[in-house]
Amino acid sequence: MKKSKLMTLNKAIFQYVNDGDSIVMGSGLESMIPFAAAYELVRQQKKNLNLIAPISDILFDILIGAGLVLKITAAWSGNVSAGLGHNYRRSLEKGIPHRVQVEDHSNFTLGLALLAGSMGIPFLPTKTLLGTDLLRSNPRFKVEKSPFGDERFVYVPSLNPDVAILGVQRADEDGGCHFWGNLGLSQDAALASKKVILLAEEIVSKETISSDPNRVLLPSFKVTAVVHCPAFSHPSPMQGYYKRDHDFFHEYHQVTKQEAGFQDWLHKWVLTPSSHEDYIRLLGERVEQLRVKQRITAPEINYAFQ
Amino acid sequence: MEYTTEELMVVAAAREIQNHEVVFVGMRLPMLAFGVAKKLHAPNAVGFFECGIVRDEPSEELLYTMGDPPNIAGASWCTSTNHLMFLMQQGLIDIGFIGGAQIDKYGNVNTSYLGDINQPTVKLPGSGGAADIACLSKRLLVIMSHEKRRLVDKVDYITSPGFGSGQNWRKHSGLPRGGTSSLITNLAILKPDDETKELHIQSIHPGVSEDKVKDHTGWDIQISPNVSSTPPPTKEELDVLRSIDPRGFWTKRKQTGVKLQ
């Protein structure tokens, strides 16, 4: 019997995220973003993080405002349904709380960087970004002729992040997991990263996971820790479990216009609750209102061999 | 029939989608434009959403983001962002839609930095998938507000390239195809001149004067010889749009419908 990888969120973040780490969070773009882990990073006051994601809605803005971030490696940072990210703006325009470094990407180049990392090669070529100023603001991109002809390509250097923190619908104690919905860059990020922390809505048996191997996101040996963390994605949505809490994003946009307002927000929602369970209690009936009650199921498929 | 400027813009954008086209759908207003086109004149259009979703049918509920659960239920494919970008790089996307903060006379869009990159006056969110759509789709459609500070002679930073510095720039840069085919604003529709690639006024929205469009543009904008008046949204178009966004969240019809504490 293998040793269980199941542990609390507190312990997983304490044990497997170090100051200065590069961390993928929100690789699925707007859905299943591991906000619970972001809040725990703030509670544990992790420092000098390099956050990697294409678009992770307000997660980056929160961590930038909380002062944890040295650098973002991203395609987009803001508030998807409400507008700009006020903390991101304060950081880059006024140095509040400090100026974060930005490694500019598009969604595609970030995807290629993680894909190259997952493939174990140093770069991948692409036609995207030719002629753009991303080539100027991110000097890591190189433009070179192809060795097979005269065509020019952007060469995107690979990324192998220290940790990927990924949300899934269900996992077993060994790190086998089922994921459904849009993938974004989650699979590329999972395969490219040195450590993978899974936040799972439900913990299920190993038999449940192996009953449907096509729905498995990555092999369990790549998984470092499994955390049972219901509603970890709030306020972002999780297919089959929770709707998106639109109001929460819009309230955040309103109250964080001033830095003091952000500090109040952080105190209320992140620092006062001592754990994710406390945060869920603070949300109160909101969680029940967001819970998906309907069922839309796929017909069974047959894996039999006799 | 009364309508808001945003409704006119969404309808104008929807009309750019032809039946059977594959459309790369950007954040916010483009999501509505795709829905309107699908339900009216382009029932066979296919929608690509950068988070990894392909849809043959528009979602059954209003989307605040493209990753919302109604956009996944009933999708024709849920996959990775990379897979969709690969297909676009091959040349399989007919038209891509993006928004912007700043655009210039050659249709280059900036959504990254206003001012200097090392000391920006405004830090905008960045590319997302917009730069990829602008580089790799066959036609690029941009939707944005028409203000002198936004429609400028030259953008501070090219996030999403239009025609760069003019004719042949894309080819010289190594881009395989594409370019800005339309800019839809709250005042007019701008299209590139066939020769110079500079955006000119193709049609002016009802009730807007030619002088107003010129006054709100940051370069000496030319008028197309066959300039027209933008046809207002029909009742059918508005009915469909309002069935998708009943509270007018994206089209500012009433209050946003979002409770603010």
Side-chain angles (χ1 to χ4, degrees):
Chain A
M1 173 91 186
K2 281 184 188 165
K3 193 168 167 245
S4 171
K5 294 172 185 170
L6 197 59
M7 63 183 70
T8 63
L9 179 62
N10 176 288
K11 190 178 173 195
I13 298 296
F14 182 78
Q15 200 155 322
Y16 296 116
V17 179
N18 298 313
D19 288 350
D21 273 356
S22 54
I23 313 179
V24 184
M25 299 177 87
S27 52
L29 282 71
E30 297 92 351
S31 54
M32 292 178 73
I33 303 170
F35 279 99
Y39 298 165
E40 187 59 28
L41 289 170
V42 177
R43 288 185 209 112
Q44 295 192 22
Q45 286 298 302
K46 298 287 182 184
K47 295 278 187 299
N48 297 323
L49 304 177
N50 174 7
L51 299 181
I52 301 171
I55 292 172
S56 50
D57 219 317
I58 60 172
L59 185 144
F60 281 13
D61 198 68
I62 294 168
L63 294 184
I64 290 167
L68 275 61
V69 183
L70 176 70
K71 177 176 172 180
I72 67 166
T73 303
W76 198 95
S77 177
N79 186 325
V80 175
S81 61
L84 303 180
H86 299 303
N87 285 323
Y88 188 40
R89 286 196 59 187
R90 273 190 287 271
S91 169
L92 273 283
E93 294 165 23
K94 294 176 183 158
I96 300 172
H98 61 261
R99 202 185 146 86
V100 299
Q101 299 164 26
V102 180
E103 190 168 317
D104 283 307
H105 273 273
S106 69
N107 286 346
F108 191 15
T109 59
L110 195 67
L112 290 171
L114 291 167
L115 178 62
S118 77
M119 292 167 73
I121 57 169
F123 61 83
L124 279 168
T126 177
K127 284 280 183 187
T128 199
L129 300 195
L130 285 166
T132 70
D133 281 323
L134 280 86
L135 304 178
R136 176 163 64 93
S137 63
N138 181 353
R140 296 192 70 221
F141 294 126
K142 303 283 180 221
V143 179
E144 300 285 349
K145 267 189 193 172
S146 154
F148 298 101
D150 286 336
E151 270 190 293
R152 295 197 312 153
F153 288 89
V154 174
Y155 288 80
V156 181
S158 63
L159 283 169
N160 287 103
D162 294 310
V163 193
I165 305 180
L166 299 174
V168 294
Q169 277 94 349
R170 58 195 188 198
D172 66 34
E173 292 192 2
D174 186 39
C177 64
H178 278 172
F179 174 99
W180 57 96
N182 61 295
L183 283 162
L185 300 176
S186 292
Q187 195 161 39
D188 310 282
L191 298 179
S193 298
K194 294 165 195 155
K195 287 176 277 187
V196 176
I197 299 173
L198 291 184
L199 306 190
E201 184 67 23
E202 292 188 60
I203 300 298
V204 297
S205 69
K206 202 169 170 58
E207 290 69 34
T208 301
I209 300 300
S210 56
S211 72
D212 193 0
N214 277 108
R215 216 178 300 281
V216 174
L217 191 66
L218 75 166
S220 59
F221 78 87
K222 281 282 292 171
V223 175
T224 316
V226 179
V227 178
H228 183 212
C229 196
F232 65 82
S233 70
H234 181 271
S236 71
M238 186 186 334
Q239 203 69 26
Y241 291 85
Y242 297 99
K243 295 183 259 192
R244 185 173 189 267
D245 192 345
H246 306 301
D247 293 351
F248 197 91
F249 287 95
H250 295 260
E251 286 157 18
Y252 177 86
H253 190 66
Q254 291 299 317
V255 303
T256 60
K257 279 182 178 156
Q258 304 300 325
E259 205 235 338
F262 169 71
Q263 291 301 337
D264 291 344
W265 184 93
L266 191 71
H267 197 78
K268 177 183 176 184
W269 290 106
V270 181
L271 294 171
T272 302
S274 64
S275 65
H276 177 65
E277 290 69 26
D278 259 6
Y279 172 82
I280 296 299
R281 274 191 287 277
L282 183 62
L283 283 169
E285 61 187 30
R286 207 164 178 154
V287 180
E288 204 45 48
Q289 286 163 3
L290 293 166
R291 196 185 300 279
V292 169
K293 279 113 191 161
Q294 193 191 10
R295 285 183 68 76
I296 303 176
T297 56
E300 286 178 7
I301 56 167
N302 186 7
Y303 279 106
F305 53 90
Q306 279 183 334
Chain B
M1 202 165 169
E2 288 191 10
Y3 53 87
T4 68
T5 307
E6 286 76 11
E7 287 178 323
L8 173 67
M9 290 164 79
V10 169
V11 166
R15 291 171 185 158
E16 301 270 337
I17 300 173
Q18 312 290 315
N19 201 6
H20 299 284
E21 285 195 319
V22 184
V23 184
F24 213 109
V25 186
M27 285 179 179
R28 304 176 182 166
L29 291 183
M31 298 192 293
L32 288 181
F34 175 69
V36 171
K38 281 289 299 181
K39 289 183 184 222
L40 290 175
H41 57 274
N44 299 309
V46 174
F48 271 41
F49 298 82
E50 64 192 5
C51 59
I53 298 170
V54 176
R55 289 197 72 94
D56 292 336
E57 297 301 327
S59 69
E60 287 183 15
E61 273 185 34
L62 178 70
L63 301 177
Y64 290 75
T65 82
M66 58 184 75
D68 288 0
N71 211 31
I72 292 166
S76 52
W77 194 23
C78 276
T79 183
S80 76
T81 298
N82 273 336
H83 278 149
L84 302 188
M85 295 293 180
F86 296 162
L87 294 175
M88 184 158 69
Q89 190 163 248
Q90 279 188 42
L92 298 182
I93 299 297
D94 296 296
I95 182 167
F97 284 71
I98 65 172
Q102 196 185 46
I103 190 166
D104 67 22
K105 64 181 174 189
Y106 291 116
N108 304 300
V109 180
N110 177 10
T111 53
S112 299
Y113 300 87
L114 295 185
D116 186 79
I117 58 171
N118 296 309
Q119 195 59 58
T121 51
V122 181
K123 180 66 190 91
L124 299 163
S127 160
D132 308 312
I133 296 171
C135 287
L136 303 173
S137 65
K138 291 182 193 165
R139 312 199 303 282
L140 178 70
L141 189 141
V142 186
I143 305 175
M144 60 184 274
S145 176
H146 204 133
E147 300 165 42
K148 203 162 194 156
R149 66 189 177 107
R150 293 179 182 275
L151 275 73
V152 297
D153 188 59
K154 193 173 189 312
V155 286
D156 298 341
Y157 180 102
I158 298 180
T159 312
S160 303
F163 293 102
S165 56
Q167 212 187 18
N168 293 328
W169 177 89
R170 290 183 71 94
K171 198 170 177 219
H172 285 307
S173 299
L175 290 167
R177 62 188 81 84
T180 307
S181 67
S182 300
L183 167 61
I184 295 174
T185 76
N186 49 318
L187 302 180
I189 298 174
L190 279 55
K191 301 227 178 213
D193 180 83
D194 286 342
E195 288 295 311
T196 66
K197 301 298 180 191
E198 198 172 304
L199 292 173
H200 59 206
I201 303 170
Q202 188 65 49
S203 86
I204 300 176
H205 299 340
V208 176
S209 70
E210 202 176 289
D211 284 347
K212 186 173 182 184
V213 178
K214 288 183 164 180
D215 287 348
H216 284 71
T217 305
W219 71 89
D220 183 20
I221 192 166
Q222 305 298 303
I223 296 176
S224 164
N226 52 356
V227 66
S228 61
S229 175
T230 313
T234 64
K235 182 179 182 304
E236 195 186 21
E237 286 167 330
L238 284 175
D239 285 347
V240 165
L241 174 52
R242 289 170 187 178
S243 74
I244 299 170
D245 186 6
R247 293 186 299 179
F249 175 77
W250 290 116
T251 53
K252 300 184 181 167
R253 229 169 66 241
K254 293 175 196 156
Q255 285 298 308
T256 61
V258 171
K259 294 194 302 283
L260 297 174
Q261 287 179 342

